[in-house]
Amino acid sequence: MNTQQLKDTAKALVADDKGLLAMDESHPTCNKRFAKLGIPQTVEARRAYRELIVTTPGLGQSISGAILFDETIRQQKKDGTPFIKVLTDAGIIPGIKVDTGAKDMAGHPGEKITEGLDGLRERLKEYFQMGARFAKWRAVIAVGDGIPSRGCIEANAHALARYAALCQEASLVPIVEPEVLMDGDHTLEQCRAATEEVLRTVFNQLNSQRVLLEGMILKPNMVLPGLTCPKQESMDEVADITMKSLWRTVPAAVPGIAFLSGGQSAELASARLNTMNLRFKSRLPWALSFSFARAIQQPALEIWRGDEANVLAAQQALLHRAKCNRSARRGEYTAAMERTSA
Ligand code: 13P
């Protein structure tokens, strides 16, 4: 374990108001998104789409790191250049998703446990040799009648902490992602209570597993009402309650918090991140950043639709979202930005 390298990488991932681009959709998730737009669900289509993303000119000005999937980290551009090299040349740090997915949790109807610890030490070693410098593991926590249960929170937090310790041993910065889902009609208060309990448990477990807080990044959900909850709070209320939950639970030694987008529209995700930075940045111990998948990629994917002729327009849309989110880190994002550039 190289402590200095871990600290330096973690700092670099949140430096300069840049953020992370999650492009680590597993086959089923990527295929589902392709199917909705009539894009063929093939290895070549996934490769072509990922080539579009990593070759977007200027992406490195707003994106510090890109999270890849196992298939993608081994792929190349059409001309044979490995994606890892394309990213590194663009000043983007390559990362890798290492969990093997959230599975139904025995004895816990409606809840999931993330798997992937078996053989993880060997996989991490290989990814480091390939050039990855950080990793990601996502736990999912559903909110509803009587859930999340204590058993689900504890099991997921424990797995996250064991993953994080193994990453640091391999000199990879762990992105620790406990996602409280937006699905359902639960209230903002229910999300707040679940998020705080989850984060408190996660940091207890990280401490038990001797994870170096200065060498990790937290990737949480924003605190939001369920997607179908009749009451949808304002931007300011969401910013206030999210910050309150993070202040209560996340140690100041953590260098950065990079939100997931979780199914919010691209514009809402940018606007909410912006509101938090605008109102609170000067008082925060950690950088408040982004690690979005859908909120950066979705507009580009909808333009591309698997057609080579749309690559340039799709890249422009991708770059636009990346720039909007960089502005949101500075508290300088405005709705007018959505009208002025493609
Ligand atoms: P979304 O931003 O689409 O929620 O994805 C983030 C992510 O990486 C989920 O693991």
Side-chain angles (χ1 to χ4, degrees):
M1 160 164 158
N2 184 334
T3 305
Q4 195 54 48
Q5 184 176 14
L6 287 170
K7 289 183 188 170
D8 291 346
T9 304
K11 249 190 231 154
L13 289 173
V14 293
D16 217 7
D17 297 319
K18 297 181 194 178
L20 305 180
L21 166 60
M23 49 179 291
D24 60 334
E25 297 82 4
S26 61
H27 296 335
T29 305
C30 188
N31 289 345
K32 204 162 56 187
R33 288 180 193 160
F34 278 14
K36 264 193 193 155
L37 296 168
I39 303 167
Q41 293 109 67
T42 60
V43 182
E44 175 48 28
R46 290 194 295 270
R47 193 209 59 77
Y49 177 57
R50 267 70 182 249
E51 174 166 346
L52 175 164
I53 295 177
V54 300
T55 58
T56 296
L59 196 62
Q61 284 160 24
S62 304
I63 298 297
S64 55
I67 315 172
L68 308 173
F69 184 59
D70 182 75
E71 176 182 82
T72 320
I73 201 169
R74 301 172 193 281
Q75 285 176 325
Q76 300 89 25
K77 274 172 56 177
K78 244 198 172 121
D79 70 7
T81 317
F83 285 165
I84 289 250
K85 176 163 167 40
V86 178
L87 288 169
T88 311
D89 288 351
I92 298 173
I93 304 171
I96 179 76
K97 170 213 200 65
V98 299
D99 66 72
T100 55
K103 310 284 160 60
D104 288 342
M105 185 165 165
H108 292 72
E111 298 195 291
K112 305 260 187 203
I113 175 71
T114 300
E115 295 186 349
L117 287 172
D118 289 353
L120 183 57
R121 173 176 274 138
E122 291 69 33
R123 289 195 287 132
L124 294 175
K125 211 179 269 176
E126 186 194 2
Y127 289 136
F128 184 89
Q129 281 162 2
M130 290 170 83
R133 289 296 174 265
F134 70 104
K136 186 193 97 171
W137 177 293
R138 172 176 178 252
V140 293
I141 308 288
V143 182
D145 231 8
I147 60 172
S149 67
R150 197 60 215 152
C152 172
I153 293 174
E154 279 175 2
N156 275 295
H158 181 75
L160 272 168
R162 293 209 21 223
Y163 137 82
L166 283 163
C167 282
Q168 292 191 336
E169 180 187 88
S171 299
L172 291 163
V173 167
I175 307 288
V176 173
E177 180 180 8
E179 174 175 5
V180 176
L181 296 172
M182 288 173 76
D183 306 286
D185 63 356
H186 56 271
T187 61
L188 181 73
E189 170 53 25
Q190 280 175 284
C191 179
R192 180 204 62 75
T195 301
E196 287 184 21
E197 187 182 352
V198 166
L199 291 178
R200 215 167 271 130
T201 311
V202 165
F203 279 100
N204 281 336
Q205 287 289 334
L206 290 169
N207 185 47
S208 297
Q209 298 303 321
R210 302 179 177 166
V211 171
L212 178 75
L213 297 180
E214 290 84 351
M216 64 162 276
I217 301 287
L218 178 71
K219 174 164 173 168
N221 51 285
M222 296 183 192
V223 177
L224 300 169
L227 279 170
T228 53
C229 178
K231 185 161 185 235
Q232 293 289 319
E233 278 78 1
S234 70
M235 199 76 74
D236 281 352
E237 285 170 296
V238 164
D240 281 354
I241 201 146
T242 301
M243 292 320 308
K244 197 181 277 183
S245 293
L246 294 174
W247 264 314
R248 286 173 171 168
T249 55
V250 185
V254 173
I257 294 178
F259 290 109
L260 58 96
S261 61
Q264 307 173 66
S265 72
E267 296 183 14
L268 255 183
S270 300
R272 285 170 169 156
L273 177 64
N274 185 70
T275 304
M276 286 185 243
N277 274 309
L278 184 63
R279 297 187 44 208
F280 301 109
K281 189 171 184 167
S282 60
R283 290 190 268 152
L284 301 180
W286 354 261
L288 209 55
S289 184
F290 57 92
S291 176
F292 297 158
R294 283 163 287 180
I296 294 181
Q297 290 184 47
Q298 195 59 28
L301 183 61
E302 286 171 16
I303 292 170
W304 179 58
R305 288 180 184 262
D307 187 342
E308 178 78 31
N310 299 330
V311 166
L312 285 184
Q315 287 181 327
Q316 273 172 14
L318 189 82
L319 190 64
H320 173 63
R321 289 263 49 93
K323 281 185 184 166
C324 284
N325 289 311
R326 187 175 189 214
S327 298
R329 280 208 53 189
R330 297 177 162 149
E332 291 171 0
Y333 168 82
T334 61
M337 282 184 72
E338 302 292 355
R339 295 191 291 270
T340 49
S341 53

